[in-house]
Amino acid sequence: MSPAPAGATGETQPGWMVGIDIGGTFTDVTALEAGTGRMLISKVPSSSTDPSGAVIAGLRSLQDLQPDLALEDVRLFVHGTTVATNTLIEHKGANCGLLITRGFRAVYELRGGTRPSGSDLIDTFYVKAPTLVPQQLTAEIGGRMSSDGEELEALDEDAVRQAARKLRALGVESVAVCYLFSFMNPSHEQRTAEILLEEIPGCRVSLSSVVLPVIREYQRISTTVLDAYVGPVIEGYLRRLLGELREVGLRTEQVFIMQSNGGLMRIAAAAGFPNETILSGPAAGVIFASRIGQLSGEANVVSFDMGGTSTDISVMPGVAHQETRAGQVEGQDIGTPMIEIRTLGAGGGTIAWIGPDGLLKGGPRSAGAEPGPACYGQGGQEPTVTDANVVLGYLNSGQLAGGRLRIDPALSAEAILRVAEPLGMSVEDAARGIVDVVNVNMEVGLRLSLLERGLDHRKVALVAFGGAGPVHATRVAREVGIPRVLVPLHPGIGCAMGLLQTDVKHYYLQSRLSGLDTVDLGELHQLFEALEDRARAQAKEEGFDQADLQLHRQLELRYPYQGYELSVPCPPHLAGEADREAIRRSFDRRHHEVYGISAPEEIPQVVNARVVSVCNVPRLDLSPRPLAEPSAAHAVVSRRPVLFAETGGYVDTDIYDRSKLLPGNVIEGPAVVEQLDSTTVLLPGQRADVDSYGTLVVTVEA
Amino acid sequence: MDPITLEVINNRLREIVATMEHLLFHSGYSTILRESFDGSAGLCDAEGRAVMALGAPYHLFPYHYSVEGVLRAHPVEEMEDGDSFVLTDPYWGGNLHVPDLVVVTPIFVDGSVIGFTVSIAHKTDVGGLVPGSSGAAAREIFHDGILLPAIRYWTRNGVVKDAELIVKRNSRSPDTVAGDIRAQVGCTRVGAERVVGLCDEYGVDTMVQAFAELQRLSELRVRRQLAEWPDGHSEAEAWVDHDGVDVDVPLRLHVAITKAGDEITFDYSGMPPQGKGAMNLRPPHAETAALLALLTYLDPTIPINDGAGQPLRFVNPEGTITNAQWPAAVNSYYGLTTVLYSAIQKALVRFNPDRAVGTVGFGTGAIAIGYRSAGKQLIQYEINTNSLGGTPEHDGTFPVMPMSHVTPYTPVEILESEFPVRVLRHEWIADTAGAGLYRGGPGARKEYQVLTDALFTLRAGHQFVYPGWGVLGGKGAPPARAFLNRGTDRERALGPLETLALQSGDTVTLETPGGGGYGDPRHRAPDVVRDDVLNGYVSPDGARADYGVVLDPDTLEVDQAATTALRDGD
């Protein structure tokens, strides 16, 4: 791709900021020069065998675009990666061992508290996801803590030693340790780590009291094992990447990785927190959407990132991303806090087919990058969403991605005929049907996501990005009743841009189950201080000045016997009864916000104390540009027939070139806006205003 | 209706039901709803036929019976927009036992009822003999808890206070029960509002037509698949230890299946008379077991609604254990329903061996421990899970609920934090998985020690003598067991249905069985058997006896020569 216009930064120090996000097919690169506001974007192919090679290729592609860009001048480098997820998909994690409390071999494999969906609920062929450590590499260790953290039975050190020797003989390189109630008293796990390191020198040890010191043993085992399984792989990858970055001349100390929680972490520190990198890429997309929403002054946004195989949706009340503790990656449960993202099996490559009930279905199968939609002419035969969009005129029938992809509409029509014929429909009606069915899937997912966060659809804006997001978002928003869609200037590289729009962030958690009315405030204060000490130590380790560090205390509460918690802020000094009451009421309010009800007569329980630490780093901040005249006539490059539900048939429609649009321009729908990395479809009755940041603000119900 | 509009409405209705379910599980109070998912929400048409539901599939037939029960007491002419009805009486509605409280809310459009939203959810306690309501000593339905016929519980003016007062006064956990009912009422009312919204969007006629079409599509899929099976007759039997009262008299369940064309008949004429204890079934149980078993052999992806049940015919004489007459107690229905479901699967093997599976482990059910602490009643209620049987493609999965594969589980750390109890172990037991080319999932041992005096009720089906079985050469798993104070001089073997007064320090040990095996265990690769031994699912002795695989006692390597000799020997 070429140098992109528009883009500036609030930063005045010279130098470049570079974000590189590895996706399934492409590695996206974005660079912004502080001061001048020059911005570069580019894409290079991803490589599953050599992910760091794609990062280096991405850096070099920047120099091809801008020969005077010297890597010594890069002052911030942020990376988004899928290495952890790929490790799970390809089953290429470490050979792990697991030590558990004696007598509890069933806990991990049972995967308690889980619930399959769809036909698995009744299918006798249902299987649970395989565990990452087999029983033969699992050892039971004597020793027991009570629910108060009192030692009921001493640690059986001999058993630890014997287990360690056996695991060493079996070539284990990474060991997870998860004992009951270790979040109340970690001493048995800590002593176990010492023995393990004596017996298996160089072994990587994951303690549940460090990885996730919270109540509920199954979630803790699963999360700790995940840490042990992907840890060595992540560690190796990051070390290699850092070395290669230095080798090609990157000098800056500001080298970060995006975490699943939406904050950054120094790459050098990330090896210790592999679980934090699991949703690295998608999290950056959510950060990007929230930033776009903030610039446009929205109160609440939903990110809508539609790519080739799936669509990621994340609901952000107050333009702030939400987190979940009940994450799942490739069937593995993970309790590490991460940005809440709903992934729907609907993308441009999603295949349409006729179900066994005779109804038209969309997905979840996708044509992916290989062979891709039929119209790419790479051998794809089955009709995809992209093919339907070509037939309907939404996508340019000559070329996409600035000519890198040739589109053959005849191949699209041929593929769609495969479903149109048996349904007794025309190709056009079937194409409309495919888009309708895929859209309704996304609408249902969107409404359920809004419901789960208690948000009114009339009070949100949809931020549409990813190659296919702006094609579908205007229709989806109209159906759901969302009043505005924001299409950012560069929708195709949202994740790479999001990498440059956040701060370093860590969570420190500790369970303490107790009624809010009876919890010892002094003890709670000590708990927070211990967590804050850990936060300060880590900030120091990551090279941050204590002055840059902001610490926030939170309490995680639930009503008695509930299966989940909610976070509320906790004042830095807990003085007495008034504080208890204030915390209780803020929890009631939060519960009402999230679930639509509260139970003010119930006394909540404290489950966890949590400290959030934030260190600021330089960010990409776009600057507004002055508004031009409303007329966008200069940007019309052609006309073509496009079919809309509102018009009932094809109408000759203006095609705009996004790169020619100026802030202040206004487009009335129906219209199609084309750019290198995406296409925006404006429906009849919709209107788009280009705002001062170049974002297309689409008014859905004009 | 065109296949695109119907698919769109299909998805919109699924969203509504998912919304109802979300509200149910997130606004209910009890651990049963929050951690065990023992509840459901769905949509029925104007005749009460189920159109769509997610979750607990065994609640689906009961929907129809329950709406009929409501209509019997309150004809639509007497209903008003804003009403919600509640019932707990299994003889009035179709709920599976008294604690499965049903809420039915009519959907009004332009003054007419076009359908109903329904929710069924298990209650922590609705009175009855013991904490948790379902006691081993129950002999009549009156012992199972408060019997509510279809009563008006909510109106446009809010909760009917008298009704709520009665319900609360009859429960050992009044606030939890009242909270859960509110959650149920709330979710059905939101669901009804959303359906009305869809009627505005698509027109009421289209929506009513879609209700019928979605049922018809499931019915067509069942018929089309049935037509592909050979016509014929098949019978199966299964044994049950006893009826919970006459503990020396085993019961023989018998089912005869006749498949002709695109219909299938389940004949329960060979069933024993209804029992004296609490394990009896009613037609909703007997029909649900048949439909779920049939779908597992036909095609489990067929959406379950009342349409899917249309091609099924039943011969179910009154007074038998599958059609018990008032006032028989039914609180322990789940175990017997599972055995019936498995017997039907056994009979279906002949029609479709490609879907044959070993049985799920028998002896399912629940425990309830009532503690009295500082004047408060605490009730620890846990649903047992059982491993599935081996299939033609893989070993049986680790424990789930039979017939509805959720994995209810209250974490040990939550139990020990909230109740005066210590969990001593939760582990697999070697050689409890039915052997086979593909073995069943393993059985589990869970042991509790109470730290105060407590009243303990075990309901584990009626299968401590007669276990499940394997299929096509696979072996069955050993039966479930339970013990009081195991390994002490006060050890006592427990029956599957017990209510005990425990003293502080007593232990209770439950051993759930594994699933049955699929195919001849001697065809299982020796290396795979060795792996099972290393993983502790099979003992070295079990490897030799059940699989004909001999392992070197020191290295646990496969002794190829001895294995070949042993396997070829018989």
Side-chain angles (χ1 to χ4, degrees):
Chain A
M1 284 194 194
S2 55
T9 168
E11 287 288 325
T12 46
Q13 270 180 287
W16 289 87
M17 294 186 257
V18 176
I20 299 189
D21 177 62
I22 299 187
T25 317
F26 288 109
T27 293
D28 294 345
V29 186
T30 181
L32 187 78
E33 189 177 37
T36 70
R38 273 193 302 178
M39 186 164 151
L40 309 173
I41 61 177
S42 127
K43 276 177 187 287
V44 297
S46 293
S47 160
S48 61
T49 48
D50 181 20
S52 58
V55 176
I56 303 302
L59 275 176
R60 297 213 188 283
S61 75
L62 289 176
Q63 291 178 304
D64 294 344
L65 291 175
Q66 196 72 49
D68 67 348
L69 187 159
L71 292 182
E72 301 88 82
D73 296 338
V74 172
R75 50 186 291 259
L76 173 71
F77 176 88
V78 185
H79 180 36
T81 176
T82 51
V83 170
T85 319
N86 288 345
T87 302
L88 285 167
I89 293 172
E90 296 165 13
H91 307 290
K92 285 189 176 155
N95 186 24
C96 293
L98 169 64
L99 304 192
I100 56 167
T101 301
R102 182 173 291 156
F104 289 89
R105 275 191 186 269
V107 172
Y108 183 26
E109 269 171 323
L110 182 76
R111 296 196 182 279
T114 54
R115 183 175 185 236
S117 58
S119 60
D120 277 345
L121 205 52
I122 66 160
D123 192 346
T124 40
F125 285 43
Y126 164 59
V127 283
K128 299 186 184 188
T131 55
L132 299 175
V133 181
Q135 291 286 357
Q136 52 190 288
L137 295 178
T138 302
E140 299 176 49
I141 305 298
R144 205 47 210 275
M145 297 292 176
S146 76
S147 58
D148 301 330
E150 257 176 74
E151 186 180 82
L152 298 171
E153 183 194 338
L155 180 71
D156 183 347
E157 297 195 7
D158 288 343
V160 177
R161 219 168 276 284
Q162 277 168 23
R165 286 172 190 164
K166 183 183 161 193
L167 292 176
R168 185 181 57 194
L170 291 168
V172 162
E173 50 186 320
S174 182
V175 182
V177 184
C178 183
Y179 298 148
L180 288 174
F181 291 108
S182 64
F183 61 91
M184 292 300 294
N185 181 345
S187 62
H188 286 178
E189 287 191 359
Q190 287 163 350
R191 176 65 191 134
T192 299
E194 289 171 9
I195 300 172
L196 283 169
L197 289 171
E198 285 165 27
E199 296 291 337
I200 320 177
C203 164
R204 193 177 184 285
V205 178
S206 304
L207 299 185
S208 82
S209 49
V210 174
V211 173
L212 187 73
V214 302
I215 191 164
R216 291 190 182 94
E217 64 277 2
Y218 162 65
Q219 284 277 338
R220 205 164 70 249
I221 291 182
S222 181
T223 307
T224 307
V225 168
L226 204 53
D227 181 279
Y229 185 78
V230 298
V233 179
I234 295 283
E235 207 169 325
Y237 166 68
L238 293 177
R239 193 181 306 119
R240 200 161 52 246
L241 175 66
L242 211 49
E244 287 174 28
L245 288 173
R246 295 296 177 224
E247 220 166 275
V248 297
L250 198 78
R251 294 273 165 76
T252 178
E253 289 303 315
Q254 309 280 24
V255 180
F256 296 98
I257 192 162
M258 174 61 85
Q259 304 178 82
S260 315
N261 68 19
L264 304 180
M265 174 163 47
R266 288 218 195 269
I267 282 191
F273 305 89
N275 283 353
E276 296 291 1
T277 68
I278 294 234
L279 280 189
S280 181
V286 176
I287 296 298
F288 171 68
S290 100
R291 197 69 196 117
I292 293 294
Q294 284 165 4
L295 289 179
S296 295
E298 293 292 344
N300 310 294
V301 293
V302 180
S303 70
F304 183 85
D305 178 3
M306 185 173 179
T309 56
S310 62
T311 300
D312 287 339
I313 288 174
S314 186
V315 173
M316 292 178 268
V319 204
H321 55 76
Q322 304 294 302
E323 65 166 44
T324 177
R325 292 289 181 70
Q328 217 186 45
V329 202
E330 295 301 310
Q332 306 298 325
D333 291 298
I334 173 167
T336 308
M338 48 172 66
I339 289 187
E340 186 175 71
I341 296 174
R342 180 188 287 262
T343 299
L344 306 170
T350 293
I351 291 169
W353 56 293
I354 298 171
D357 51 9
L359 306 185
L360 184 68
K361 309 282 174 186
R365 262 189 345 113
S366 165
E370 290 289 329
C375 60
Y376 288 9
Q378 298 167 350
Q381 305 275 322
E382 295 178 283
T384 65
V385 171
T386 296
D387 292 308
N389 285 328
V390 168
V391 166
L392 297 175
Y394 299 153
L395 296 181
N396 190 317
S397 58
Q399 57 181 39
L400 279 179
R404 282 186 308 132
L405 274 171
R406 306 292 316 171
I407 296 298
D408 185 344
L411 292 175
S412 287
E414 206 175 291
I416 288 175
L417 200 59
R418 291 161 67 115
V419 292
E421 218 165 33
L423 292 174
M425 294 182 146
S426 68
V427 165
E428 289 73 26
D429 283 347
R432 264 179 75 176
I434 292 170
V435 170
D436 283 353
V437 164
V438 165
N439 282 351
V440 86
N441 284 338
M442 294 192 285
E443 290 154 26
V444 166
L446 192 52
R447 285 198 206 89
L448 290 174
S449 288
L450 288 168
L451 164 85
E452 285 164 12
R453 286 297 170 187
L455 259 193
D456 183 338
H457 58 84
R458 291 166 299 187
K459 295 180 180 158
V460 304
L462 207 56
V463 182
F465 60 107
V471 183
H472 291 261
T474 48
R475 169 67 64 198
V476 166
R478 175 168 278 181
E479 293 298 324
V480 176
I482 291 174
R484 273 180 309 288
V485 175
L486 309 180
V487 184
L489 193 52
H490 302 294
I493 52 151
C495 293
M497 288 187 62
L499 292 173
L500 302 177
Q501 298 179 318
T502 188
D503 296 312
V504 169
K505 185 157 98 178
H506 297 296
Y507 296 137
Y508 303 88
L509 273 166
Q510 180 69 54
S511 273
R512 180 64 35 138
L513 198 65
S514 174
L516 180 60
D517 54 339
T518 53
V519 68
D520 182 332
L521 295 183
E523 195 192 337
L524 209 53
H525 187 70
Q526 284 172 7
L527 210 65
F528 273 120
E529 285 191 327
L531 292 173
E532 287 169 347
D533 285 347
R534 279 176 55 198
R536 285 192 200 95
Q538 188 172 347
K540 195 173 164 201
E541 220 168 274
E542 289 193 43
F544 290 103
D545 211 52
Q546 296 297 328
D548 297 336
L549 181 69
Q550 302 153 44
L551 298 174
H552 308 278
R553 290 182 178 189
Q554 296 177 340
L555 275 179
E556 305 199 315
L557 306 158
R558 60 171 189 170
Y559 292 125
Y561 307 120
Q562 280 186 327
Y564 45 83
E565 294 84 49
L566 289 174
S567 300
V568 296
C570 179
H573 298 288
L574 289 169
E577 294 317 303
D579 287 325
R580 283 189 215 270
E581 188 59 18
I583 291 167
R584 180 170 170 185
R585 293 311 156 206
S586 83
F587 172 71
D588 289 340
R589 274 196 304 279
R590 181 84 189 115
H591 200 277
H592 197 272
E593 275 166 27
V594 173
Y595 297 115
I597 57 149
S598 60
E601 69 283 3
E602 300 255 350
I603 297 167
Q605 286 178 314
V606 176
V607 181
N608 302 315
R610 173 158 100 159
V611 166
V612 182
S613 82
V614 177
C615 302
N616 297 116
V617 293
R619 282 183 182 202
L620 177 157
D621 276 312
L622 300 173
S623 308
R625 295 198 300 157
L627 299 184
E629 291 301 306
S631 170
H634 62 279
V636 177
V637 287
S638 63
R639 290 171 75 76
R640 69 168 174 255
V642 182
L643 192 151
F644 299 97
E646 289 80 356
T647 56
Y650 287 93
V651 287
D652 227 21
T653 302
D654 285 334
I655 310 300
Y656 292 80
D657 179 346
R658 180 89 186 252
S659 68
K660 292 192 165 69
L661 288 174
L662 299 169
N665 287 172
V666 178
I667 303 173
E668 298 285 346
V672 173
V673 184
E674 294 183 345
Q675 62 191 114
L676 289 179
D677 50 349
S678 190
T679 301
T680 305
V681 177
L682 276 187
L683 305 177
Q686 294 183 335
R687 155 196 166 123
D689 292 69
V690 184
D691 77 5
S692 53
Y693 296 96
T695 300
L696 280 181
V697 180
V698 180
T699 310
V700 174
E701 303 303 332
Chain B
M1 194 179 291
D2 80 82
I4 289 160
T5 307
L6 187 54
E7 175 66 7
V8 168
I9 292 175
N10 186 19
N11 277 297
R12 300 290 301 272
L13 291 177
R14 190 166 297 139
E15 172 196 327
I16 290 173
V17 175
T19 299
M20 290 168 65
E21 202 178 64
H22 174 83
L23 293 172
L24 177 66
F25 290 138
H26 285 81
S27 53
Y29 279 40
S30 66
T31 48
I32 295 180
L33 276 183
R34 294 183 193 290
E35 311 238 11
S36 296
F37 319 114
D38 194 358
S40 69
L43 168 69
C44 296
D45 67 16
E47 275 73 52
R49 291 184 295 249
V51 174
M52 187 173 288
L54 299 171
Y58 50 92
H59 284 168
L60 236 127
F61 267 115
Y63 284 170
H64 189 186
Y65 286 95
S66 301
V67 175
E68 283 181 340
V70 170
L71 289 171
R72 206 163 54 244
H74 309 275
V76 282
E77 310 81 76
E78 294 173 15
M79 289 182 180
E80 287 189 31
D81 199 352
D83 287 346
S84 293
F85 301 89
V86 157
L87 66 86
T88 63
D89 181 351
Y91 289 91
W92 194 290
N95 49 317
L96 300 169
H97 59 169
V98 179
D100 275 348
L101 181 139
V102 190
V103 172
V104 174
T105 297
I107 307 168
F108 274 88
V109 176
D110 301 330
S112 327
V113 174
I114 63 144
F116 300 88
T117 46
V118 186
S119 167
I120 298 183
H122 188 125
K123 295 288 159 292
T124 318
D125 187 282
V126 288
L129 293 179
V130 296
S133 304
S134 299
R139 300 288 178 268
E140 293 185 341
I141 194 73
F142 302 104
H143 300 158
D144 285 351
I146 182 173
L147 298 176
L148 300 171
I151 60 165
R152 196 176 261 106
Y153 193 84
W154 208 280
T155 69
R156 68 183 72 199
N157 299 320
V159 68
V160 177
K161 207 174 155 192
D162 299 356
E164 193 181 54
L165 281 171
I166 291 172
V167 169
K168 287 179 78 167
R169 192 61 183 163
N170 278 279
S171 171
R172 294 175 182 83
S173 55
D175 294 333
T176 311
V177 165
D180 279 2
I181 299 177
R182 277 168 189 261
Q184 280 184 274
V185 170
C187 86
T188 59
R189 296 171 79 86
V190 169
E193 269 168 37
R194 295 288 182 88
V195 173
V196 172
L198 280 192
C199 289
D200 290 344
E201 210 172 313
Y202 291 94
V204 64
D205 294 340
T206 306
M207 290 304 297
V208 168
Q209 195 190 341
F211 292 173
E213 282 288 297
L214 291 172
Q215 293 181 65
R216 193 181 63 87
L217 289 177
S218 282
E219 178 179 346
L220 279 180
R221 284 181 70 182
V222 172
R223 287 191 187 280
R224 205 179 305 138
Q225 300 271 70
L226 274 176
E228 286 176 18
W229 283 4
D231 283 353
H233 184 82
S234 184
E235 297 183 16
E237 64 171 30
W239 287 86
V240 176
D241 296 4
H242 53 71
D243 71 355
V245 178
D246 294 332
V247 295
D248 300 324
V249 184
L251 307 175
R252 176 180 174 267
L253 303 188
H254 178 270
V255 58
I257 296 175
T258 305
K259 187 257 142 179
D262 61 1
E263 296 204 345
I264 188 163
T265 302
F266 297 85
D267 187 341
Y268 297 143
S269 303
M271 290 290 174
Q274 69 189 57
K276 294 177 186 165
M279 37 78 87
N280 292 296
L281 305 186
R282 298 272 304 143
H285 307 108
E287 293 166 17
T288 299
L291 179 63
L292 292 179
L294 179 65
L295 289 179
T296 64
Y297 272 61
L298 210 54
D299 178 357
T301 69
I302 297 174
I304 308 179
N305 54 39
D306 270 318
Q310 291 308 307
L312 283 65
R313 300 274 171 271
F314 292 96
V315 180
N316 192 6
E318 289 184 358
T320 58
I321 205 159
T322 45
N323 191 357
Q325 298 299 293
W326 185 88
V330 299
N331 76 48
S332 283
Y333 73 96
Y334 210 83
L336 200 78
T337 306
T338 305
V339 178
L340 174 60
Y341 159 92
S342 302
I344 293 168
Q345 287 180 329
K346 180 157 67 171
L348 291 174
V349 172
R350 113 160 245 263
F351 296 106
N352 189 9
D354 291 348
R355 294 285 305 176
V357 290
T359 59
V360 62
F362 285 174
T364 191
I367 61 160
I369 311 180
Y371 309 92
R372 207 169 283 283
S373 152
K376 266 178 73 181
Q377 176 82 55
L378 295 173
I379 301 173
Q380 175 188 342
Y381 183 88
E382 287 181 80
I383 294 177
N384 298 336
T385 51
N386 299 53
S387 282
L388 296 185
T391 80
E393 294 170 9
H394 48 70
D395 293 338
T397 205
F398 293 101
V400 291
M401 262 182 92
M403 302 188 284
S404 171
H405 302 150
V406 299
T407 310
Y409 179 75
T410 309
V412 172
E413 290 171 346
I414 294 283
L415 289 177
E416 293 195 4
S417 298
E418 295 183 353
F419 300 103
V421 70
R422 187 152 296 137
V423 182
L424 300 178
R425 53 188 65 242
H426 190 190
E427 61 194 3
W428 305 131
I429 318 169
D431 302 328
T432 52
L437 168 64
Y438 290 105
R439 59 168 170 73
R445 180 183 294 121
K446 200 163 184 184
E447 194 164 270
Y448 302 87
Q449 181 173 40
V450 293
L451 305 178
T452 66
D453 294 355
L455 197 60
F456 172 88
T457 295
L458 169 66
R459 293 184 294 128
H462 296 70
Q463 306 294 140
F464 280 15
V465 177
Y466 297 102
W469 52 83
V471 69
L472 300 177
K475 299 286 197 313
R481 305 193 296 179
F483 299 93
L484 178 65
N485 293 318
R486 184 162 203 209
T488 71
D489 51 9
R490 294 184 298 132
E491 175 174 319
R492 171 157 96 75
L494 298 178
L497 210 61
E498 300 257 9
T499 294
L500 306 168
L502 299 181
Q503 291 172 354
S504 178
D506 280 350
T507 66
V508 175
T509 308
L510 306 179
E511 294 187 359
T512 55
Y518 172 94
D520 186 345
R522 292 187 178 230
H523 294 156
R524 190 170 173 88
D527 281 348
V528 177
V529 176
R530 174 180 185 263
D531 230 35
D532 280 345
V533 171
L534 293 176
N535 285 327
Y537 307 131
V538 173
S539 70
D541 290 345
R544 178 190 286 264
D546 296 335
Y547 293 91
V549 172
V550 183
L551 302 179
D552 181 290
D554 296 325
T555 65
L556 294 181
E557 293 295 336
V558 176
D559 183 335
Q560 297 290 357
T563 298
T564 308
L566 184 59
R567 284 189 159 187
D568 294 349
D570 339 74

